[in-house]
């Protein structure tokens, strides 16, 4: 079934030109067609608004600058963000960590793996001095050869689930539950911790303002695109929940 937007029917040539830009998408064809539809809607809206430019991208940019406008956050808003998320602005924070990894591989029996990991966790909680030996015997990570030691870890050095559990835990303790990440199940032993220090607000205010402004702009852009899609006559594609891959 051809895809038609407000009377304009897309051709195979349109798709051939757009598709190479979407090869990394989960569904390259759907992503490419969504981009084509959104671009066509924006171009038609720009023309109806009286905007003129031979360059299509410049024409879309002019429309978005006119229709999608958000205020720059003030100092008080930035300060509230700074105070609400202190960990985002802390530098020098470190934690020593060791772990035992039970890797999830294709075809693995997850229930059996979890039961085994739980037994090992109970063992090391009862006998913390045996953590290194248990890591050597059970861990699927090369660190198992050195008792599971990962050395000192800073913020941003590991996957989010591991980082959150590590920095939230008390120093010198084994986290009393399994931590799940995309790599598998982890038993984590926390060593010494260095708290680090907060960056002064004046040094990060501009970055906070830029990040908040970008988030507001992205939200406003999604709402605007949803409005245009809702008004357009579209057939041949389901645009429910469509993102805006054309505006990167």
């Amino acid at each position: 079934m051809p895809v038609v937007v407000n009377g304009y029917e897309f051709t195979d040539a349109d798709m051939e030109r757009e598709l190479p830009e979407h090869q990394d998408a989960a569904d390259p064809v759907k992503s490419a067609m969504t981009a084509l539809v959104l671009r066509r809607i924006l171009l038609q809206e720009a023309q109806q608004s009286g905007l003129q430019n031979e360059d299509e991208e410049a024409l879309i940019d002019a429309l978005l600058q006119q229709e999608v406008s958000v205020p720059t956050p003030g100092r008080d808003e930035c300060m509230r963000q700074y105070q609400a998320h202190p960990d985002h602005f802390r530098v020098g924070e470190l934690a020593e960590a060791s772990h035992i990894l039970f890797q999830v591989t294709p075809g693995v029996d997850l229930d059996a793996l979890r039961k085994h990991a739980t037994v090992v966790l109970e063992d090391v909680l009862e006998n913390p001095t045996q953590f290194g030996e248990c890591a050597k015997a059970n861990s699927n990570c090369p660190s198992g050869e050195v008792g599971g030691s990962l050395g000192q870890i800073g913020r941003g050095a590991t996957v989010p689930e591991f980082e959150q559990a590590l920095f939230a835990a008390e120093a010198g303790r084994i986290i009393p539950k399994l931590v799940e990440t995309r790599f598998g199940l982890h038993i984590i032993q926390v060593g010494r911790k260095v708290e680090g220090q907060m960056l002064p607000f004046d040094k990060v205010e501009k970055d906070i303002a830029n990040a908040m402004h970008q988030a507001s702009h992205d939200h406003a852009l999604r709402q605007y695109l949803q409005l245009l899609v809702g008004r357009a006559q579209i057939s041949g594609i389901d645009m429910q929940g469509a993102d805006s891959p054309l505006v990167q």
Side-chain angles (χ1 to χ4, degrees):
M1 175 185 292
V3 176
V4 181
V5 176
N6 294 331
Y8 179 92
E9 181 175 331
F10 292 102
T11 66
D12 291 342
D14 292 328
M15 176 59 78
E16 289 175 4
R17 286 192 296 270
E18 183 67 28
L19 191 57
E21 303 298 323
H22 301 264
Q23 293 307 306
D24 293 334
D27 186 341
V29 173
K30 177 67 178 292
S31 179
M33 184 53 72
T34 298
L36 287 171
V37 170
L38 291 174
R39 184 176 292 115
R40 174 56 50 181
I41 290 172
L42 287 167
L43 286 171
Q44 291 175 342
E45 185 68 19
Q47 291 163 357
Q48 291 174 7
S49 298
L51 297 172
Q52 295 183 349
N53 197 307
E54 294 183 0
D55 186 317
E56 291 187 350
E57 297 303 323
L59 189 58
I60 290 174
D61 286 344
L63 174 68
L64 295 179
Q65 289 177 14
Q66 175 179 291
E67 300 295 334
V68 183
S69 178
V70 294
T72 300
R75 184 178 178 86
D76 289 346
E77 292 176 271
C78 293
M79 176 59 78
R80 286 194 292 271
Q81 184 77 0
Y82 176 78
Q83 294 173 336
H85 303 283
D87 288 343
H88 294 180
F89 311 106
R90 190 181 301 278
V91 294
E93 189 175 12
L94 297 170
E96 292 178 341
S98 299
H99 79 148
I100 302 172
L101 172 64
F102 301 88
Q103 188 176 19
V104 174
T105 55
V108 70
D109 185 332
L110 290 176
D111 289 338
L113 183 68
R114 185 179 297 279
K115 288 178 181 177
H116 175 56
T118 299
V119 170
V120 176
L121 174 60
E122 292 171 350
D123 287 344
V124 295
L125 286 172
E126 186 174 346
N127 301 289
T129 58
Q130 298 300 308
F131 189 96
E133 290 303 316
C134 286
K136 290 180 182 180
N138 295 278
S139 185
N140 298 127
C141 177
S143 65
E145 295 300 317
V146 289
S149 176
L150 298 172
Q152 288 187 329
I153 295 176
R155 291 273 185 184
T158 66
V159 291
E161 301 88 349
F162 193 100
E163 176 182 302
Q164 182 178 0
L166 175 63
F167 285 98
E170 184 179 344
R173 302 289 295 275
I174 295 172
I175 296 176
K177 63 179 182 180
L178 298 173
V179 175
E180 297 187 33
T181 73
R182 65 173 179 264
F183 298 109
L185 307 173
H186 305 255
I187 298 173
I188 303 175
Q189 184 179 53
V190 186
R192 293 176 298 176
K193 299 180 76 173
V194 176
E195 293 300 324
Q197 60 182 0
M198 289 278 288
L199 289 167
F201 175 70
D202 288 344
K203 287 188 175 296
V204 295
E205 180 183 0
K206 184 176 180 180
D207 291 337
I208 294 172
N210 289 339
M212 292 179 67
H213 182 268
Q214 186 63 52
S216 296
H217 179 272
D218 291 347
H219 179 69
L221 175 59
R222 285 192 296 271
Q223 288 187 319
Y224 181 60
L225 290 173
Q226 289 170 358
L227 174 66
L228 295 184
V229 167
R231 293 198 313 223
Q233 294 182 339
I234 303 172
S235 61
I237 184 174
D238 180 9
M239 292 293 290
Q240 293 296 322
D243 291 325
S244 53
L246 76 167
V247 189
Q248 299 288 337

